[in-house]
Amino acid sequence: MPLWKNGEFIEDAWAVVADGEPVPPDVPAIVGLKRWRDERAALAERNAPLGLLIAPGTDWSDVVAELGRFPVIVVTIPKYADGRAFSIARLLRERDGYQGEIRAVGHYIIDQVPFMRRVGIDAFQTDDPVLLRALERNEWPEVKEYLQPAWVGDGEVPAGT
């Protein structure tokens, strides 16, 4: 599935590993929160990087102190009308101080990309051909006025934005 980050499509070296599937030993792997909790000791000994998938409705407060060990956190969007990934990303950035990549995966539309970027999502994975074309052209709707403040990358939320 194509990955768009920093204004371009990039090679995705990460493998998303489902619960119950073997984790490849020398490949950057993304595992679910439950698997991290259940297999923490074994997964922490890996030589390859490890990412974390936080599904909607999941409480990750018990791993906040460990978030810095994950260079990638994936937030899933089960359907475009589900805004929980937005909340997760914002909490990761503002409350938890997470500085790594937050990747959106799932069902979303180009109109949502400016809002996702605004809450701290900085990588987008999709196989939707319409979304792929829009990302390739860096074309998404310009939003001139927002109703919520923004995450700006240093943990500060500017007044009046």
Side-chain angles (χ1 to χ4, degrees), residues 13-44:
W14 293 85
V16 177
V17 182
D19 290 344
E21 297 282 322
V23 179
D26 298 324
V27 174
I30 297 167
V31 297
L33 188 55
K34 181 183 180 323
R35 186 168 198 169
W36 170 250
R37 289 174 178 142
D38 293 346
E39 301 174 26
R40 180 181 274 122
L43 291 171

Short mmCIF file of all heavy atoms in Angstrom, two decimals, residues 13-44:
data_model
loop_
_atom_site.label_atom_id
_atom_site.label_comp_id
_atom_site.label_asym_id
_atom_site.label_seq_id
_atom_site.Cartn_x
_atom_site.Cartn_y
_atom_site.Cartn_z
N ALA A 13 9.19 0.55 4.53
CA ALA A 13 9.96 -0.60 4.97
C ALA A 13 9.27 -1.37 6.08
O ALA A 13 9.75 -2.42 6.50
CB ALA A 13 11.34 -0.12 5.46
N TRP A 14 8.15 -0.85 6.58
CA TRP A 14 7.48 -1.43 7.74
C TRP A 14 6.48 -2.51 7.34
O TRP A 14 5.71 -2.33 6.40
CB TRP A 14 6.74 -0.34 8.52
CG TRP A 14 7.68 0.62 9.16
CD1 TRP A 14 8.24 1.74 8.58
CD2 TRP A 14 8.18 0.56 10.48
NE1 TRP A 14 9.04 2.36 9.49
CE2 TRP A 14 9.03 1.67 10.67
CE3 TRP A 14 7.98 -0.31 11.55
CZ2 TRP A 14 9.68 1.92 11.87
CZ3 TRP A 14 8.63 -0.07 12.74
CH2 TRP A 14 9.47 1.04 12.89
N ALA A 15 6.47 -3.60 8.12
CA ALA A 15 5.49 -4.66 7.94
C ALA A 15 4.50 -4.59 9.10
O ALA A 15 4.91 -4.56 10.26
CB ALA A 15 6.18 -6.02 7.94
N VAL A 16 3.21 -4.54 8.78
CA VAL A 16 2.19 -4.60 9.83
C VAL A 16 1.93 -6.08 10.10
O VAL A 16 1.60 -6.84 9.19
CB VAL A 16 0.89 -3.89 9.40
CG1 VAL A 16 -0.18 -4.04 10.47
CG2 VAL A 16 1.16 -2.42 9.11
N VAL A 17 2.12 -6.46 11.37
CA VAL A 17 2.02 -7.87 11.74
C VAL A 17 0.78 -8.07 12.60
O VAL A 17 0.64 -7.47 13.67
CB VAL A 17 3.28 -8.32 12.51
CG1 VAL A 17 3.19 -9.80 12.85
CG2 VAL A 17 4.54 -8.00 11.72
N ALA A 18 -0.12 -8.90 12.11
CA ALA A 18 -1.36 -9.19 12.85
C ALA A 18 -1.05 -10.03 14.08
O ALA A 18 -0.07 -10.78 14.12
CB ALA A 18 -2.33 -9.93 11.93
N ASP A 19 -1.90 -9.88 15.09
CA ASP A 19 -1.77 -10.72 16.28
C ASP A 19 -1.81 -12.18 15.85
O ASP A 19 -2.61 -12.58 15.01
CB ASP A 19 -2.91 -10.44 17.27
CG ASP A 19 -2.79 -9.06 17.91
OD1 ASP A 19 -1.69 -8.46 17.83
OD2 ASP A 19 -3.78 -8.60 18.49
N GLY A 20 -0.93 -12.97 16.40
CA GLY A 20 -0.88 -14.39 16.06
C GLY A 20 0.07 -14.72 14.93
O GLY A 20 0.49 -15.87 14.78
N GLU A 21 0.42 -13.74 14.11
CA GLU A 21 1.38 -13.94 13.02
C GLU A 21 2.79 -13.82 13.59
O GLU A 21 3.02 -13.03 14.51
CB GLU A 21 1.19 -12.88 11.93
CG GLU A 21 -0.15 -12.93 11.25
CD GLU A 21 -0.23 -14.04 10.23
OE1 GLU A 21 0.76 -14.30 9.53
OE2 GLU A 21 -1.31 -14.66 10.16
N PRO A 22 3.76 -14.54 13.04
CA PRO A 22 5.14 -14.38 13.52
C PRO A 22 5.70 -13.00 13.14
O PRO A 22 5.44 -12.50 12.05
CB PRO A 22 5.91 -15.51 12.82
CG PRO A 22 5.04 -15.97 11.71
CD PRO A 22 3.62 -15.56 12.01
N VAL A 23 6.45 -12.41 14.06
CA VAL A 23 7.07 -11.11 13.80
C VAL A 23 8.42 -11.38 13.14
O VAL A 23 9.28 -12.05 13.72
CB VAL A 23 7.27 -10.31 15.11
CG1 VAL A 23 7.95 -8.98 14.83
CG2 VAL A 23 5.94 -10.09 15.80
N PRO A 24 8.64 -10.86 11.91
CA PRO A 24 9.92 -11.10 11.24
C PRO A 24 11.06 -10.51 12.08
O PRO A 24 10.97 -9.39 12.56
CB PRO A 24 9.79 -10.36 9.91
CG PRO A 24 8.38 -9.90 9.82
CD PRO A 24 7.74 -10.03 11.14
N PRO A 25 12.13 -11.26 12.27
CA PRO A 25 13.18 -10.83 13.20
C PRO A 25 13.97 -9.60 12.77
O PRO A 25 14.38 -8.81 13.61
CB PRO A 25 14.09 -12.05 13.30
CG PRO A 25 13.82 -12.86 12.08
CD PRO A 25 12.42 -12.57 11.67
N ASP A 26 14.21 -9.43 11.47
CA ASP A 26 15.11 -8.35 11.02
C ASP A 26 14.41 -7.30 10.17
O ASP A 26 15.07 -6.59 9.41
CB ASP A 26 16.28 -8.95 10.25
CG ASP A 26 17.10 -9.88 11.11
OD1 ASP A 26 17.25 -9.59 12.32
OD2 ASP A 26 17.58 -10.91 10.60
N VAL A 27 13.10 -7.20 10.27
CA VAL A 27 12.32 -6.24 9.48
C VAL A 27 11.61 -5.29 10.43
O VAL A 27 11.08 -5.72 11.45
CB VAL A 27 11.27 -7.00 8.62
CG1 VAL A 27 10.36 -6.05 7.89
CG2 VAL A 27 11.96 -7.94 7.65
N PRO A 28 11.61 -3.99 10.12
CA PRO A 28 10.81 -3.08 10.96
C PRO A 28 9.35 -3.56 10.95
O PRO A 28 8.77 -3.77 9.90
CB PRO A 28 10.95 -1.73 10.27
CG PRO A 28 12.21 -1.83 9.47
CD PRO A 28 12.30 -3.27 9.05
N ALA A 29 8.79 -3.74 12.15
CA ALA A 29 7.45 -4.32 12.26
C ALA A 29 6.55 -3.45 13.13
O ALA A 29 7.01 -2.87 14.12
CB ALA A 29 7.54 -5.73 12.84
N ILE A 30 5.28 -3.40 12.74
CA ILE A 30 4.26 -2.67 13.50
C ILE A 30 3.34 -3.72 14.12
O ILE A 30 2.80 -4.57 13.41
CB ILE A 30 3.47 -1.71 12.59
CG1 ILE A 30 4.41 -0.65 12.02
CG2 ILE A 30 2.30 -1.08 13.36
CD1 ILE A 30 3.84 0.16 10.87
N VAL A 31 3.17 -3.64 15.45
CA VAL A 31 2.31 -4.58 16.15
C VAL A 31 1.22 -3.82 16.89
O VAL A 31 1.36 -2.63 17.19
CB VAL A 31 3.11 -5.45 17.15
CG1 VAL A 31 4.14 -6.30 16.42
CG2 VAL A 31 3.75 -4.62 18.24
N GLY A 32 0.15 -4.51 17.18
CA GLY A 32 -0.95 -3.91 17.92
C GLY A 32 -0.60 -3.72 19.39
O GLY A 32 0.32 -4.36 19.93
N LEU A 33 -1.33 -2.87 20.03
CA LEU A 33 -1.11 -2.54 21.43
C LEU A 33 -1.25 -3.77 22.32
O LEU A 33 -0.45 -3.99 23.24
CB LEU A 33 -2.08 -1.44 21.85
CG LEU A 33 -1.91 -0.82 23.22
CD1 LEU A 33 -0.51 -0.27 23.42
CD2 LEU A 33 -2.93 0.29 23.41
N LYS A 34 -2.26 -4.59 22.07
CA LYS A 34 -2.44 -5.80 22.87
C LYS A 34 -1.23 -6.71 22.76
O LYS A 34 -0.74 -7.24 23.76
CB LYS A 34 -3.71 -6.54 22.46
CG LYS A 34 -3.96 -7.80 23.28
CD LYS A 34 -5.18 -8.55 22.80
CE LYS A 34 -5.48 -9.80 23.57
NZ LYS A 34 -4.38 -10.60 24.03
N ARG A 35 -0.73 -6.88 21.55
CA ARG A 35 0.46 -7.74 21.37
C ARG A 35 1.66 -7.16 22.10
O ARG A 35 2.44 -7.90 22.71
CB ARG A 35 0.76 -7.92 19.90
CG ARG A 35 1.87 -8.92 19.67
CD ARG A 35 1.98 -9.33 18.25
NE ARG A 35 2.75 -10.54 18.14
CZ ARG A 35 2.82 -11.23 17.04
NH1 ARG A 35 2.16 -10.87 15.96
NH2 ARG A 35 3.55 -12.33 17.00
N TRP A 36 1.85 -5.86 22.04
CA TRP A 36 2.96 -5.23 22.77
C TRP A 36 2.83 -5.53 24.26
O TRP A 36 3.80 -5.89 24.91
CB TRP A 36 3.00 -3.73 22.51
CG TRP A 36 3.98 -3.04 23.42
CD1 TRP A 36 3.68 -2.20 24.45
CD2 TRP A 36 5.40 -3.17 23.41
NE1 TRP A 36 4.83 -1.79 25.07
CE2 TRP A 36 5.90 -2.37 24.45
CE3 TRP A 36 6.29 -3.87 22.62
CZ2 TRP A 36 7.26 -2.25 24.73
CZ3 TRP A 36 7.66 -3.76 22.88
CH2 TRP A 36 8.13 -2.97 23.92
N ARG A 37 1.64 -5.37 24.78
CA ARG A 37 1.44 -5.65 26.21
C ARG A 37 1.72 -7.12 26.53
O ARG A 37 2.35 -7.42 27.54
CB ARG A 37 0.00 -5.31 26.60
CG ARG A 37 -0.29 -3.83 26.64
CD ARG A 37 -1.76 -3.59 26.90
NE ARG A 37 -2.06 -2.17 26.99
CZ ARG A 37 -3.15 -1.62 26.50
NH1 ARG A 37 -4.07 -2.36 25.90
NH2 ARG A 37 -3.35 -0.31 26.62
N ASP A 38 1.25 -8.03 25.70
CA ASP A 38 1.38 -9.46 25.96
C ASP A 38 2.79 -9.99 25.75
O ASP A 38 3.21 -10.93 26.41
CB ASP A 38 0.42 -10.27 25.07
CG ASP A 38 -1.04 -10.04 25.41
OD1 ASP A 38 -1.34 -9.46 26.48
OD2 ASP A 38 -1.89 -10.42 24.57
N GLU A 39 3.53 -9.39 24.79
CA GLU A 39 4.84 -9.93 24.41
C GLU A 39 5.96 -8.90 24.58
O GLU A 39 6.99 -8.99 23.90
CB GLU A 39 4.79 -10.41 22.96
CG GLU A 39 3.75 -11.48 22.71
CD GLU A 39 3.61 -11.85 21.24
OE1 GLU A 39 4.60 -11.69 20.47
OE2 GLU A 39 2.51 -12.28 20.84
N ARG A 40 5.77 -7.96 25.45
CA ARG A 40 6.70 -6.84 25.65
C ARG A 40 8.16 -7.30 25.76
O ARG A 40 9.04 -6.78 25.09
CB ARG A 40 6.30 -6.04 26.87
CG ARG A 40 7.19 -4.88 27.17
CD ARG A 40 6.75 -4.13 28.41
NE ARG A 40 5.75 -3.14 28.05
CZ ARG A 40 4.53 -3.08 28.55
NH1 ARG A 40 4.12 -3.95 29.44
NH2 ARG A 40 3.70 -2.14 28.17
N ALA A 41 8.44 -8.25 26.62
CA ALA A 41 9.82 -8.66 26.86
C ALA A 41 10.48 -9.19 25.59
O ALA A 41 11.59 -8.78 25.24
CB ALA A 41 9.87 -9.71 27.97
N ALA A 42 9.80 -10.08 24.88
CA ALA A 42 10.37 -10.65 23.65
C ALA A 42 10.50 -9.59 22.56
O ALA A 42 11.52 -9.52 21.87
CB ALA A 42 9.51 -11.81 23.17
N LEU A 43 9.48 -8.76 22.40
CA LEU A 43 9.52 -7.74 21.35
C LEU A 43 10.57 -6.68 21.63
O LEU A 43 11.20 -6.15 20.71
CB LEU A 43 8.14 -7.09 21.19
CG LEU A 43 7.05 -8.00 20.62
CD1 LEU A 43 5.68 -7.33 20.72
CD2 LEU A 43 7.36 -8.37 19.17
N ALA A 44 10.81 -6.36 22.88
CA ALA A 44 11.80 -5.34 23.24
C ALA A 44 13.23 -5.79 22.92
O ALA A 44 14.12 -4.96 22.77
CB ALA A 44 11.68 -4.99 24.72
#
